[in-house]
Amino acid sequence: MKQLTPVIAPPQYIEIFEGIRDNKKASAKAPLVAAQAAIRDRFIEYETRFNINTLEAIPASTLGGITAELRSCYGRNKGMNALKQAIKNAQPVGRLIWCPYCGATTPGSYDHYLPAEKFPEFAAHALNLVPSCTRCNSIKDDDWVYGGPRGYYHFYKDAIPAASFLTVSITSDAAVQAVGATFAVQQAGMSDPEWTLLEAHFRQLKLIELYDSYSNDLINTVLRSARSHITAGGGSAAAFLANEAQENADLYGDFGWRAVLLRAMSAHPDLVDWIAWL
């Protein structure tokens, strides 16, 4: 996992919203214009709490009477398409190949970090739209707090711990020539608040189960790539996998599940045997 880069003003986030609003049909635009002052106050509230990291304490929405009009701003329209493109353009090349929430599948949707059902005024707020895969978006749904603290990383705000929180154990069976992996998450010296957030994020999104289920395919693919590398006259398989691990870490974080698995495979004494089993 690795932080995302938020869209940077100018224009201001409220100006982006109002640009979307002003292109709507008169019937949908009118109530939004009438509530302009209240919507602006709520944008200020979001951005203030985002900056001081207290989003979990944001007051409930007071704009329920225009929920449909607010949520429609997230629909298919020129302004929203431009905002989504700006979010993508703000990220390093390759950063959004994988979903920020899980790092395992392609991000084909946008999660409303504060759920649009409960906070419709933020349905088109640039800081509230986080690229995600449909799996993570569906699991998170209208959830975002866990017993008081937030239960998921906000990838525009939360720093990912530098501690080695994700580990992997690799097992192999020479009799059947098979290699497998089992992941685990640990506190690894991080503070209790850091651990509370990370543990909740992993547990609620079932990330360990996801990584375990995907590991066999990745192991097989990586070993075949290493074999092709050697066949083509490349250097050692261990160096090849270590380099692949570092490239993954550079894009997706030192403790993204692919980097962790590749690093462990590169250092394993049985790596050459595994390639010979193919």
Side-chain angles (χ1 to χ4, degrees), residues 19-262:
I20 294 171
R21 176 202 68 189
D22 290 345
N23 281 305
K24 299 190 72 62
K25 293 181 179 179
S27 59
K29 176 181 173 181
L32 297 175
V33 171
Q36 176 171 297
I39 295 170
R40 286 191 167 206
D41 285 345
R42 290 294 285 172
F43 268 55
I44 292 171
E45 180 85 31
Y46 188 109
E47 291 157 33
T48 299
R49 292 191 176 278
F50 176 89
N51 288 332
I52 62 175
N53 207 15
T54 60
L55 270 180
E56 66 274 11
I58 196 167
S61 176
T62 59
L63 293 161
I66 55 170
T67 292
E69 291 84 355
L70 287 165
R71 294 192 66 176
S72 72
C73 292
Y74 178 70
R76 294 181 180 177
N77 59 72
K78 184 177 180 180
M80 179 52 63
N81 290 341
L83 175 54
K84 289 179 178 179
Q85 190 60 52
I87 291 171
K88 291 179 181 178
N89 291 345
Q91 314 312 316
V93 175
R95 178 66 184 85
L96 291 180
I97 291 176
W98 305 116
C99 168
Y101 282 98
C102 66
T105 55
T106 303
S109 66
Y110 283 81
D111 171 57
H112 289 90
Y113 188 82
L114 297 191
E117 181 69 29
K118 298 176 181 178
F119 299 93
E121 62 270 39
F122 304 133
H125 194 305
L127 292 178
N128 202 48
L129 296 174
V130 183
S132 70
C133 66
T134 54
R135 174 190 178 275
C136 290
N137 202 344
S138 176
I139 292 174
K140 181 174 174 291
D141 196 23
D142 291 340
D143 190 18
W144 64 288
V145 292
Y146 176 70
R150 291 183 294 113
Y152 299 88
Y153 277 104
H154 193 316
F155 286 95
Y156 296 136
K157 180 61 179 178
D158 294 314
I160 308 303
S164 55
F165 57 82
L166 186 65
T167 65
V168 66
S169 174
I170 300 179
T171 57
S172 60
D173 186 337
V176 295
Q177 298 187 341
V179 185
T182 303
F183 287 86
V185 66
Q186 61 184 8
Q187 187 166 359
M190 68 185 74
S191 69
D192 287 343
E194 287 178 318
W195 170 241
T196 296
L197 176 57
L198 185 139
E199 189 278 332
H201 184 97
F202 268 72
R203 173 169 37 80
Q204 294 181 130
L205 292 176
K206 300 178 174 60
L207 295 188
I208 294 302
E209 295 89 336
L210 182 67
Y211 299 158
D212 286 349
S213 69
Y214 279 16
S215 62
N216 285 344
D217 284 344
L218 181 58
I219 289 170
N220 184 265
T221 298
V222 166
L223 291 177
R224 290 182 181 280
S225 294
R227 182 179 64 180
S228 296
H229 169 77
I230 294 170
T231 301
S236 74
F240 172 75
L241 294 190
N243 183 66
E244 291 288 304
Q246 189 57 55
E247 289 187 358
N248 268 268
D250 290 344
L251 268 180
Y252 312 114
D254 285 337
F255 300 102
W257 75 281
R258 287 181 177 83
V260 168
L261 180 55
L262 289 167

